[in-house]
Amino acid sequence: MAEPGRPQRASQGIAGTPIAGTWPTGRTASAGGLVPAGFDVWPSIVGTLREWVRAEAGAGRLFPWVPIAFGCGIALYFAADHEPVLWVAATTAAALTIGAVLLRRSRLFAPAIMTAAVAAGFAMATWKTARIEHAVLAKPLYSVSLSGFVETRDIRERTDRFVLRVTAMEAQRSDVKLDRVRLSVRKRTAPDVGSFVQLKARLMPPLAPLRPGSYDFSRDMFFQGIGASGFAMGAITVSAPPAAGGLQLRYAAVMQGLRDAIDARIRSVLDGDKRAIATALLTGRRDAITTPVNDAMFISGLGHVLSISGYHMAVVAGVVFFAVRALLALIPGLAVGFAIKKWSAAAALIASAFYLLLSGAEVATQRSFFMTAVVLIAVMVDRRAITFRTLAVAALIVLAVAPEALVHPSFQMSFAATLGLVALVQIGMPNLFASPDHSATARIALWGGREIAMLFMASMIAGLATTPYAAFHFHRVTPYGVLANLGAMPVVSALVMPAGLLGLLAAPFGLDGVFWWLMGTGIDWMVAVSRWVAALPGAVGHIAAFGTAPLIAASLGLILLGLLRTPLRWSGAFVLMAATVWGLSVRQPDILIAGNGQSVAVRGRDGQLHLIRTSKDNFLLKEWLAADADPRDAGSASLGDGVSCDEIGCVTPLADGRMIALALRIDALADDCSRAALVVTARPAPPDCAAMVVDRPRLARQGALALTQRGDGFAIAAVKARGANRPWSPAAAGDGEFEQTLMPRSTAPRAKDATPSEADLQAED
């Protein structure tokens, strides 16, 4: 309030810019100006924005953006068509890093360090690929003699599987030498880890993407060091190795023996899905869970429980931390004179490391361990544990160790959820519970309302943060995920995981049976909740494939919402909304063609896909239907509506009535070329074919295709970009490039097809 007799001064804006006082001063806007008299609105807005930007660029705010820039460099590496030159990438990264250090006291430091981080991420991914580069099978081999050491073994629902480190390989008409192969075998016939075996196998190239934009399994297998997959043929002979397998193999054998012993102890008390889930939670082996339960878990939003991630690692570390601290607090001398909190953090770190090794140390588990380790180390050095800086350090470690994790759904979903939860702890919780001494708040807290509210908010925020990635990779959303997590996660956290840890501790003494029983009781409840939620109306939200560009936009929106502190963070909400509209408006292709030319899906007049296929590849069909947001299953009879087949080929109409033909034999090509608009064949097509053609040479060079109608022709999206050649997806041998469009070869009118449809034929016909 102004003092009497003192002249009133104009108020100052946030950035020091004068703004209008309480009473108008009588000034008028300049001629032609857009601002009304007495209101300097635009300078005030600009000043406010500048103040917010300065606050976001303040001390300590830059570091969380470094791993984002590092990840952008890795993303650029995976987007390249050809393998970069390692020494060029490394030299560029080193030069930019040195330049950023020299500019550390300059205003250019922020853009310089971000540019250096991008270059470092690109160089790190290039170096990782060069370090593990190995041969990848390009063509099927139908009878291969293999000898080698068994490195890993998976027990699955129908078959078992193991990874063989190859020491000798013989195949007819092929001189390729693979380092590792993954083989499937009949149940209970997989050899022990560490054993030396000889066998015959049928090998196939790593599975390429099933459609443009889908997950690249071949890239995943490449970074695991696996060059082919297949199955064993005949008996597997275990023999004495010609040389020692090495220290790493002996370690793998010891850990596998420990996992088998734990599984045997659990099997003595539990069976069925309870045993499979208990084993998955403790050892990471989750392939033995039956399909109905597995589907119910993922539909309900509880699928994250089956994959060892940050939640499991946090529960293990938390149980050990509080248990050790409580035990040490019972000793007065230790509680008073020593830092038992740090001792407890060290014990939790050791337990987390053991859990990492026991569960197989997969990339997702490594990421979870690094995040947990950073938090525990922060406790040990008297730093705040749950901060954006902690998350940034963990992300940098994970991406430096395993750059390929960036494109894996586990990494994306886990860090998105963690970013949301850290933002909740740093920003939301202080605002939500700023007045804990309020009488109403205190009464609610006495009844656990505060804990329930936090669990609800954590589940909701984690679910919303992971929704873009679940929609992109799995083409579905879980609208009742919060309900399922509220019903099941307290039981999993308070009963299932603690009982499992106590069972591990009691197993050497033979007192573990009661803990496995308790664990099974909690698993029964979790499965019951998942089945109930999965059966609710609308439990599955189907989302059509929308490509990487909307996903990148959604990721940017989440980052802005999570990392920014000023009101600028709400710009992330607008980016998210724009990404959502963008993703939902993406047009779906009119034709899908498998990479082997054996399956074709055509969109008919009803807007649904109609399938022509010559092999029972249900995995391919499930992916196509999911990407099209089609709720039908692979066995639906409606998939074949409108498809006519004989022994030499099949035809089905497009929405505009033109026919699409799949030619199975050479003698079908002449007829199909004269009558169909598009001919698909796994054989080379004749050069004089009048129809548009997708044949073996194109499929070999481009892989699976998605065709979108453009006028009379089609725009083509291919799995392999034009001229692409990467270590996990080498270019096919042969010359020739193919255009990204298909156009009719002739504009001359075709003879009208007089063949009546089967539905129109009458009895006397």
Side-chain angles (χ1 to χ4, degrees), residues 27 49 52-53 57 110 145 163 183 210 306 462 465 489 510 512 518 559 564 603 616 622 699 702 721 737 756:
R27 292 180 299 170
L49 291 176
W52 288 345
V53 171
S145 297
V163 173
L183 301 173
L210 301 177
L306 302 179
M489 294 314 294
D512 54 324
L518 288 172
I559 291 170
L564 299 185
R603 195 174 306 280
K616 294 183 178 180
K622 288 179 180 178
L699 293 172
Q702 295 186 317
E737 296 290 347

PDB file of all heavy atoms in Angstrom, residues 27 49 52-53 57 110 145 163 183 210 306 462 465 489 510 512 518 559 564 603 616 622 699 702 721 737 756:
ATOM      1  N   ARG A  27      -1.844   7.419 -21.187  1.00  0.00           N
ATOM      2  CA  ARG A  27      -1.037   7.261 -22.393  1.00  0.00           C
ATOM      3  C   ARG A  27      -1.842   6.539 -23.463  1.00  0.00           C
ATOM      4  O   ARG A  27      -2.700   5.720 -23.165  1.00  0.00           O
ATOM      5  CB  ARG A  27       0.246   6.478 -22.088  1.00  0.00           C
ATOM      6  CG  ARG A  27       1.222   7.234 -21.194  1.00  0.00           C
ATOM      7  CD  ARG A  27       2.459   6.394 -20.937  1.00  0.00           C
ATOM      8  NE  ARG A  27       2.087   5.147 -20.259  1.00  0.00           N
ATOM      9  CZ  ARG A  27       2.932   4.142 -20.078  1.00  0.00           C
ATOM     10  NH1 ARG A  27       4.154   4.213 -20.567  1.00  0.00           N
ATOM     11  NH2 ARG A  27       2.543   3.066 -19.439  1.00  0.00           N
ATOM     12  N   LEU A  49       8.527 -14.667 -20.136  1.00  0.00           N
ATOM     13  CA  LEU A  49       9.102 -15.835 -20.798  1.00  0.00           C
ATOM     14  C   LEU A  49      10.617 -15.879 -20.626  1.00  0.00           C
ATOM     15  O   LEU A  49      11.200 -16.947 -20.398  1.00  0.00           O
ATOM     16  CB  LEU A  49       8.732 -15.833 -22.281  1.00  0.00           C
ATOM     17  CG  LEU A  49       7.253 -16.078 -22.617  1.00  0.00           C
ATOM     18  CD1 LEU A  49       7.016 -15.945 -24.115  1.00  0.00           C
ATOM     19  CD2 LEU A  49       6.837 -17.475 -22.142  1.00  0.00           C
ATOM     20  N   TRP A  52      11.413 -17.112 -17.177  1.00  0.00           N
ATOM     21  CA  TRP A  52      11.228 -18.562 -17.060  1.00  0.00           C
ATOM     22  C   TRP A  52      12.379 -19.324 -17.720  1.00  0.00           C
ATOM     23  O   TRP A  52      12.864 -20.312 -17.178  1.00  0.00           O
ATOM     24  CB  TRP A  52       9.904 -18.958 -17.707  1.00  0.00           C
ATOM     25  CG  TRP A  52       8.701 -18.533 -16.914  1.00  0.00           C
ATOM     26  CD1 TRP A  52       8.675 -18.115 -15.612  1.00  0.00           C
ATOM     27  CD2 TRP A  52       7.356 -18.467 -17.387  1.00  0.00           C
ATOM     28  NE1 TRP A  52       7.395 -17.802 -15.232  1.00  0.00           N
ATOM     29  CE2 TRP A  52       6.558 -18.013 -16.304  1.00  0.00           C
ATOM     30  CE3 TRP A  52       6.733 -18.742 -18.603  1.00  0.00           C
ATOM     31  CZ2 TRP A  52       5.183 -17.837 -16.422  1.00  0.00           C
ATOM     32  CZ3 TRP A  52       5.359 -18.575 -18.721  1.00  0.00           C
ATOM     33  CH2 TRP A  52       4.594 -18.121 -17.643  1.00  0.00           C
ATOM     34  N   VAL A  53      12.796 -18.848 -18.901  1.00  0.00           N
ATOM     35  CA  VAL A  53      13.906 -19.518 -19.599  1.00  0.00           C
ATOM     36  C   VAL A  53      15.186 -19.428 -18.778  1.00  0.00           C
ATOM     37  O   VAL A  53      15.939 -20.398 -18.662  1.00  0.00           O
ATOM     38  CB  VAL A  53      14.098 -18.905 -21.002  1.00  0.00           C
ATOM     39  CG1 VAL A  53      15.381 -19.432 -21.644  1.00  0.00           C
ATOM     40  CG2 VAL A  53      12.897 -19.212 -21.888  1.00  0.00           C
ATOM     41  N   ALA A  57      17.404 -22.540 -17.214  1.00  0.00           N
ATOM     42  CA  ALA A  57      18.820 -22.688 -17.564  1.00  0.00           C
ATOM     43  C   ALA A  57      19.732 -22.369 -16.394  1.00  0.00           C
ATOM     44  O   ALA A  57      20.939 -22.196 -16.574  1.00  0.00           O
ATOM     45  CB  ALA A  57      19.161 -21.783 -18.749  1.00  0.00           C
ATOM     46  N   ALA A 110      26.303 -24.267 -22.882  1.00  0.00           N
ATOM     47  CA  ALA A 110      25.135 -25.155 -22.904  1.00  0.00           C
ATOM     48  C   ALA A 110      24.939 -25.803 -24.272  1.00  0.00           C
ATOM     49  O   ALA A 110      24.861 -27.034 -24.375  1.00  0.00           O
ATOM     50  CB  ALA A 110      23.887 -24.398 -22.461  1.00  0.00           C
ATOM     51  N   SER A 145      25.764 -79.213 -39.043  1.00  0.00           N
ATOM     52  CA  SER A 145      26.415 -79.899 -37.926  1.00  0.00           C
ATOM     53  C   SER A 145      27.077 -78.848 -37.040  1.00  0.00           C
ATOM     54  O   SER A 145      27.888 -78.042 -37.518  1.00  0.00           O
ATOM     55  CB  SER A 145      27.457 -80.894 -38.434  1.00  0.00           C
ATOM     56  OG  SER A 145      26.839 -81.905 -39.212  1.00  0.00           O
ATOM     57  N   VAL A 163      21.180 -71.228 -25.878  1.00  0.00           N
ATOM     58  CA  VAL A 163      22.126 -70.517 -26.741  1.00  0.00           C
ATOM     59  C   VAL A 163      23.415 -71.318 -26.773  1.00  0.00           C
ATOM     60  O   VAL A 163      23.973 -71.668 -25.721  1.00  0.00           O
ATOM     61  CB  VAL A 163      22.383 -69.090 -26.243  1.00  0.00           C
ATOM     62  CG1 VAL A 163      23.496 -68.422 -27.048  1.00  0.00           C
ATOM     63  CG2 VAL A 163      21.101 -68.267 -26.320  1.00  0.00           C
ATOM     64  N   LEU A 183      18.760 -72.185 -30.235  1.00  0.00           N
ATOM     65  CA  LEU A 183      18.072 -73.370 -30.717  1.00  0.00           C
ATOM     66  C   LEU A 183      16.925 -73.753 -29.791  1.00  0.00           C
ATOM     67  O   LEU A 183      17.053 -73.669 -28.563  1.00  0.00           O
ATOM     68  CB  LEU A 183      19.046 -74.549 -30.825  1.00  0.00           C
ATOM     69  CG  LEU A 183      20.253 -74.343 -31.752  1.00  0.00           C
ATOM     70  CD1 LEU A 183      21.210 -75.508 -31.632  1.00  0.00           C
ATOM     71  CD2 LEU A 183      19.801 -74.162 -33.199  1.00  0.00           C
ATOM     72  N   LEU A 210       8.285 -57.553 -39.086  1.00  0.00           N
ATOM     73  CA  LEU A 210       7.174 -58.178 -39.791  1.00  0.00           C
ATOM     74  C   LEU A 210       6.401 -57.191 -40.654  1.00  0.00           C
ATOM     75  O   LEU A 210       5.598 -57.604 -41.500  1.00  0.00           O
ATOM     76  CB  LEU A 210       6.227 -58.835 -38.783  1.00  0.00           C
ATOM     77  CG  LEU A 210       6.889 -59.904 -37.897  1.00  0.00           C
ATOM     78  CD1 LEU A 210       5.899 -60.440 -36.882  1.00  0.00           C
ATOM     79  CD2 LEU A 210       7.441 -61.034 -38.751  1.00  0.00           C
ATOM     80  N   LEU A 306       5.895 -59.234 -14.267  1.00  0.00           N
ATOM     81  CA  LEU A 306       6.537 -60.458 -14.741  1.00  0.00           C
ATOM     82  C   LEU A 306       7.951 -60.231 -15.242  1.00  0.00           C
ATOM     83  O   LEU A 306       8.711 -61.182 -15.382  1.00  0.00           O
ATOM     84  CB  LEU A 306       5.693 -61.087 -15.864  1.00  0.00           C
ATOM     85  CG  LEU A 306       4.253 -61.434 -15.498  1.00  0.00           C
ATOM     86  CD1 LEU A 306       3.537 -62.025 -16.694  1.00  0.00           C
ATOM     87  CD2 LEU A 306       4.208 -62.390 -14.317  1.00  0.00           C
ATOM     88  N   ALA A 462       2.545 -43.288 -13.581  1.00  0.00           N
ATOM     89  CA  ALA A 462       3.376 -44.279 -14.275  1.00  0.00           C
ATOM     90  C   ALA A 462       2.633 -44.850 -15.474  1.00  0.00           C
ATOM     91  O   ALA A 462       3.221 -45.063 -16.546  1.00  0.00           O
ATOM     92  CB  ALA A 462       3.782 -45.388 -13.311  1.00  0.00           C
ATOM     93  N   ALA A 465       2.512 -42.197 -18.245  1.00  0.00           N
ATOM     94  CA  ALA A 465       3.828 -41.967 -18.840  1.00  0.00           C
ATOM     95  C   ALA A 465       4.234 -43.084 -19.794  1.00  0.00           C
ATOM     96  O   ALA A 465       4.944 -42.848 -20.776  1.00  0.00           O
ATOM     97  CB  ALA A 465       4.883 -41.810 -17.740  1.00  0.00           C
ATOM     98  N   MET A 489      -0.840 -54.555  -6.427  1.00  0.00           N
ATOM     99  CA  MET A 489       0.519 -54.198  -6.062  1.00  0.00           C
ATOM    100  C   MET A 489       0.766 -54.128  -4.555  1.00  0.00           C
ATOM    101  O   MET A 489       1.867 -54.479  -4.104  1.00  0.00           O
ATOM    102  CB  MET A 489       0.903 -52.876  -6.723  1.00  0.00           C
ATOM    103  CG  MET A 489       0.974 -52.956  -8.247  1.00  0.00           C
ATOM    104  SD  MET A 489       1.873 -54.409  -8.848  1.00  0.00           S
ATOM    105  CE  MET A 489       3.508 -54.032  -8.260  1.00  0.00           C
ATOM    106  N   GLY A 510      16.446 -75.456   4.897  1.00  0.00           N
ATOM    107  CA  GLY A 510      15.290 -76.319   4.718  1.00  0.00           C
ATOM    108  C   GLY A 510      14.014 -75.787   5.336  1.00  0.00           C
ATOM    109  O   GLY A 510      13.068 -76.551   5.554  1.00  0.00           O
ATOM    110  N   ASP A 512      12.144 -73.208   3.990  1.00  0.00           N
ATOM    111  CA  ASP A 512      11.588 -72.283   3.013  1.00  0.00           C
ATOM    112  C   ASP A 512      10.168 -72.612   2.586  1.00  0.00           C
ATOM    113  O   ASP A 512       9.518 -71.796   1.937  1.00  0.00           O
ATOM    114  CB  ASP A 512      12.484 -72.257   1.769  1.00  0.00           C
ATOM    115  CG  ASP A 512      12.715 -73.654   1.208  1.00  0.00           C
ATOM    116  OD1 ASP A 512      12.825 -74.597   2.008  1.00  0.00           O
ATOM    117  OD2 ASP A 512      12.781 -73.806  -0.019  1.00  0.00           O
ATOM    118  N   LEU A 518       3.298 -68.839   1.191  1.00  0.00           N
ATOM    119  CA  LEU A 518       2.832 -67.462   1.299  1.00  0.00           C
ATOM    120  C   LEU A 518       2.973 -66.735  -0.036  1.00  0.00           C
ATOM    121  O   LEU A 518       2.088 -65.964  -0.432  1.00  0.00           O
ATOM    122  CB  LEU A 518       3.622 -66.727   2.383  1.00  0.00           C
ATOM    123  CG  LEU A 518       3.328 -67.119   3.837  1.00  0.00           C
ATOM    124  CD1 LEU A 518       4.328 -66.443   4.774  1.00  0.00           C
ATOM    125  CD2 LEU A 518       1.903 -66.733   4.212  1.00  0.00           C
ATOM    126  N   ILE A 559       9.097 -35.334 -21.553  1.00  0.00           N
ATOM    127  CA  ILE A 559      10.331 -34.752 -21.004  1.00  0.00           C
ATOM    128  C   ILE A 559      10.084 -33.324 -20.531  1.00  0.00           C
ATOM    129  O   ILE A 559      10.531 -32.925 -19.445  1.00  0.00           O
ATOM    130  CB  ILE A 559      11.446 -34.806 -22.058  1.00  0.00           C
ATOM    131  CG1 ILE A 559      11.872 -36.260 -22.304  1.00  0.00           C
ATOM    132  CG2 ILE A 559      12.646 -33.972 -21.630  1.00  0.00           C
ATOM    133  CD1 ILE A 559      12.798 -36.438 -23.486  1.00  0.00           C
ATOM    134  N   LEU A 564      10.942 -29.685 -16.674  1.00  0.00           N
ATOM    135  CA  LEU A 564      10.820 -28.245 -16.472  1.00  0.00           C
ATOM    136  C   LEU A 564      10.130 -27.946 -15.146  1.00  0.00           C
ATOM    137  O   LEU A 564       9.245 -28.678 -14.703  1.00  0.00           O
ATOM    138  CB  LEU A 564      10.052 -27.605 -17.633  1.00  0.00           C
ATOM    139  CG  LEU A 564      10.686 -27.744 -19.026  1.00  0.00           C
ATOM    140  CD1 LEU A 564       9.888 -26.973 -20.052  1.00  0.00           C
ATOM    141  CD2 LEU A 564      12.141 -27.297 -19.028  1.00  0.00           C
ATOM    142  N   ARG A 603      -6.957 -54.593 -47.666  1.00  0.00           N
ATOM    143  CA  ARG A 603      -8.082 -53.913 -47.047  1.00  0.00           C
ATOM    144  C   ARG A 603      -9.251 -53.854 -48.031  1.00  0.00           C
ATOM    145  O   ARG A 603      -9.133 -53.298 -49.121  1.00  0.00           O
ATOM    146  CB  ARG A 603      -7.678 -52.504 -46.617  1.00  0.00           C
ATOM    147  CG  ARG A 603      -8.680 -51.860 -45.646  1.00  0.00           C
ATOM    148  CD  ARG A 603      -8.162 -50.520 -45.134  1.00  0.00           C
ATOM    149  NE  ARG A 603      -6.836 -50.642 -44.548  1.00  0.00           N
ATOM    150  CZ  ARG A 603      -6.606 -51.100 -43.305  1.00  0.00           C
ATOM    151  NH1 ARG A 603      -7.619 -51.473 -42.555  1.00  0.00           N
ATOM    152  NH2 ARG A 603      -5.375 -51.182 -42.859  1.00  0.00           N
ATOM    153  N   LYS A 616       0.902 -71.154 -42.066  1.00  0.00           N
ATOM    154  CA  LYS A 616       0.234 -70.827 -40.807  1.00  0.00           C
ATOM    155  C   LYS A 616       1.187 -70.065 -39.889  1.00  0.00           C
ATOM    156  O   LYS A 616       1.678 -70.582 -38.902  1.00  0.00           O
ATOM    157  CB  LYS A 616      -0.266 -72.105 -40.124  1.00  0.00           C
ATOM    158  CG  LYS A 616      -1.361 -72.817 -40.906  1.00  0.00           C
ATOM    159  CD  LYS A 616      -1.874 -74.037 -40.160  1.00  0.00           C
ATOM    160  CE  LYS A 616      -3.000 -74.714 -40.937  1.00  0.00           C
ATOM    161  NZ  LYS A 616      -3.514 -75.905 -40.225  1.00  0.00           N
ATOM    162  N   LYS A 622      -0.892 -62.097 -36.001  1.00  0.00           N
ATOM    163  CA  LYS A 622      -1.206 -61.352 -34.778  1.00  0.00           C
ATOM    164  C   LYS A 622      -0.606 -59.958 -34.809  1.00  0.00           C
ATOM    165  O   LYS A 622      -1.242 -58.987 -34.384  1.00  0.00           O
ATOM    166  CB  LYS A 622      -0.691 -62.131 -33.558  1.00  0.00           C
ATOM    167  CG  LYS A 622      -1.486 -63.385 -33.232  1.00  0.00           C
ATOM    168  CD  LYS A 622      -0.900 -64.100 -32.024  1.00  0.00           C
ATOM    169  CE  LYS A 622      -1.694 -65.354 -31.693  1.00  0.00           C
ATOM    170  NZ  LYS A 622      -1.093 -66.088 -30.542  1.00  0.00           N
ATOM    171  N   LEU A 699      11.365 -58.236 -52.766  1.00  0.00           N
ATOM    172  CA  LEU A 699      11.225 -58.661 -51.378  1.00  0.00           C
ATOM    173  C   LEU A 699      12.580 -58.958 -50.752  1.00  0.00           C
ATOM    174  O   LEU A 699      12.800 -58.689 -49.562  1.00  0.00           O
ATOM    175  CB  LEU A 699      10.313 -59.888 -51.301  1.00  0.00           C
ATOM    176  CG  LEU A 699       8.846 -59.649 -51.676  1.00  0.00           C
ATOM    177  CD1 LEU A 699       8.092 -60.969 -51.743  1.00  0.00           C
ATOM    178  CD2 LEU A 699       8.184 -58.712 -50.679  1.00  0.00           C
ATOM    179  N   GLN A 702      14.066 -55.426 -50.063  1.00  0.00           N
ATOM    180  CA  GLN A 702      13.336 -54.477 -49.228  1.00  0.00           C
ATOM    181  C   GLN A 702      12.629 -55.114 -48.042  1.00  0.00           C
ATOM    182  O   GLN A 702      12.198 -54.405 -47.140  1.00  0.00           O
ATOM    183  CB  GLN A 702      12.304 -53.727 -50.084  1.00  0.00           C
ATOM    184  CG  GLN A 702      12.932 -52.849 -51.156  1.00  0.00           C
ATOM    185  CD  GLN A 702      11.898 -52.013 -51.887  1.00  0.00           C
ATOM    186  OE1 GLN A 702      10.818 -52.485 -52.236  1.00  0.00           O
ATOM    187  NE2 GLN A 702      12.216 -50.757 -52.124  1.00  0.00           N
ATOM    188  N   ALA A 721      15.198 -49.578 -45.857  1.00  0.00           N
ATOM    189  CA  ALA A 721      15.221 -48.365 -46.661  1.00  0.00           C
ATOM    190  C   ALA A 721      16.102 -48.571 -47.882  1.00  0.00           C
ATOM    191  O   ALA A 721      16.942 -49.478 -47.937  1.00  0.00           O
ATOM    192  CB  ALA A 721      15.737 -47.189 -45.828  1.00  0.00           C
ATOM    193  N   GLU A 737      18.036 -51.224 -57.813  1.00  0.00           N
ATOM    194  CA  GLU A 737      17.271 -50.501 -56.810  1.00  0.00           C
ATOM    195  C   GLU A 737      15.823 -50.434 -57.261  1.00  0.00           C
ATOM    196  O   GLU A 737      15.515 -50.516 -58.453  1.00  0.00           O
ATOM    197  CB  GLU A 737      17.841 -49.088 -56.619  1.00  0.00           C
ATOM    198  CG  GLU A 737      19.246 -49.066 -56.064  1.00  0.00           C
ATOM    199  CD  GLU A 737      19.311 -49.496 -54.614  1.00  0.00           C
ATOM    200  OE1 GLU A 737      18.245 -49.569 -53.974  1.00  0.00           O
ATOM    201  OE2 GLU A 737      20.422 -49.758 -54.125  1.00  0.00           O
ATOM    202  N   PRO A 756     -17.934 -64.513 -62.588  1.00  0.00           N
ATOM    203  CA  PRO A 756     -18.868 -64.136 -61.512  1.00  0.00           C
ATOM    204  C   PRO A 756     -18.298 -64.538 -60.157  1.00  0.00           C
ATOM    205  O   PRO A 756     -17.489 -65.456 -60.061  1.00  0.00           O
ATOM    206  CB  PRO A 756     -20.135 -64.929 -61.853  1.00  0.00           C
ATOM    207  CG  PRO A 756     -19.623 -66.131 -62.572  1.00  0.00           C
ATOM    208  CD  PRO A 756     -18.420 -65.675 -63.349  1.00  0.00           C
TER     209      PRO A 756
END
